[in-house]
Amino acid sequence: MYSVCVSTPERLIEATRELLWERGYVGTSPKAILQRAGAGQGSMYHHFTGKPDLALAAIRRTAEELRATAEAVLGGPGTPYERVEAYLRREREVLRGCPVGRLTMDPDVVASDALRAPVDETLDWLRERLAGIVEEGQGLGEFGPALDGEEIAATIVATVQGGYVLARASGSTAAFDAGVRGLLSLLAPRSPAAGNSPIPNKA
């Protein structure tokens, strides 16, 4: 339950975010939201038009947070490879799954253009951001010129999202970690002195 110092709309949004991550849209009932938020009965309809409106606010907040978290790493210091590596290795709650990626498996979210839009926009942004970093690395000679930035970006996103699924299925982060190591070994920077031979990944 949230502190009464936090505004009721904020408590409702944060509670809905958590419940969507844990239970999905159908499992997130208005009653469960009110209980988690510590809000009075009827407060949802005082601040929002209903569950879909509140869910949209929650999904937008989650999408914004994912972008900010990813950008903090992708826009940070280091070479293009080091920034991609930092993104792949950043701390995650792997066994809970991706709070945005899991929404793509929720039929009620996918069926709604409004609810799906923040998810699509965020994943599109992530692919574009990663593609730009790969192309930046190609300009510096860090990545091979034959690589397609958009395809590599899609592979990175697929590795992360697929890694979440495999980790949850096995109850272990090992599959996620293995996917990250494998992808990083394929992307390892090329050494001009070694005739474009890949540098072993020592991370």
Side-chain angles (χ1 to χ4, degrees):
M1 186 176 296
Y2 296 92
S3 167
V4 293
C5 296
V6 180
S7 70
T8 298
E10 281 295 309
R11 300 204 314 269
L12 290 169
I13 290 171
E14 289 301 315
T16 303
R17 291 179 62 200
E18 293 177 2
L19 290 166
L20 286 172
W21 195 1
E22 295 168 10
R23 309 180 184 182
Y25 186 83
V26 171
T28 301
S29 67
K31 181 179 180 181
I33 293 171
L34 294 173
Q35 288 179 339
R36 180 69 64 91
Q41 202 158 12
S43 61
M44 176 189 295
Y45 297 96
H46 178 72
H47 297 286
F48 301 92
T49 59
K51 176 182 167 181
D53 186 35
L54 176 53
L56 178 57
I59 291 171
R60 282 175 174 163
R61 179 74 61 80
T62 296
E64 290 167 3
E65 187 176 274
L66 185 146
R67 287 194 193 198
T69 301
E71 180 58 33
V73 178
L74 296 175
T79 67
Y81 175 85
E82 288 169 345
R83 283 145 56 203
V84 169
E85 180 181 30
Y87 169 73
L88 287 169
R89 294 188 184 276
R90 75 172 182 80
E91 187 175 348
R92 293 176 168 87
E93 294 185 72
V94 174
L95 296 181
R96 289 189 71 187
C98 173
V100 170
R102 287 193 68 186
L103 293 170
T104 65
M105 297 181 280
D106 192 314
D108 293 275
V109 173
V110 172
S112 168
D113 290 341
L115 296 179
R116 191 179 67 250
V119 177
D120 288 342
E121 291 165 5
T122 298
L123 294 176
D124 285 345
W125 170 85
L126 182 57
R127 285 190 292 266
E128 290 174 10
R129 188 71 177 88
L130 287 165
I133 292 173
V134 172
E135 290 162 7
E136 179 187 345
Q138 289 176 309
L140 296 171
E142 191 173 29
F143 297 133
L147 294 181
D148 183 294
E150 292 184 359
E151 291 180 355
I152 296 302
T155 301
I156 293 169
V157 174
T159 298
V160 171
Q161 295 300 326
Y164 279 123
V165 173
L166 294 174
R168 284 173 59 79
S170 65
S172 168
T173 62
F176 185 98
D177 296 338
V180 166
R181 288 195 303 272
L183 180 55
L184 287 173
S185 69
L186 293 174
L187 292 177
R190 299 152 66 86
S191 170
N196 292 332
S197 298
I199 299 173
N201 177 28
K202 299 179 180 179

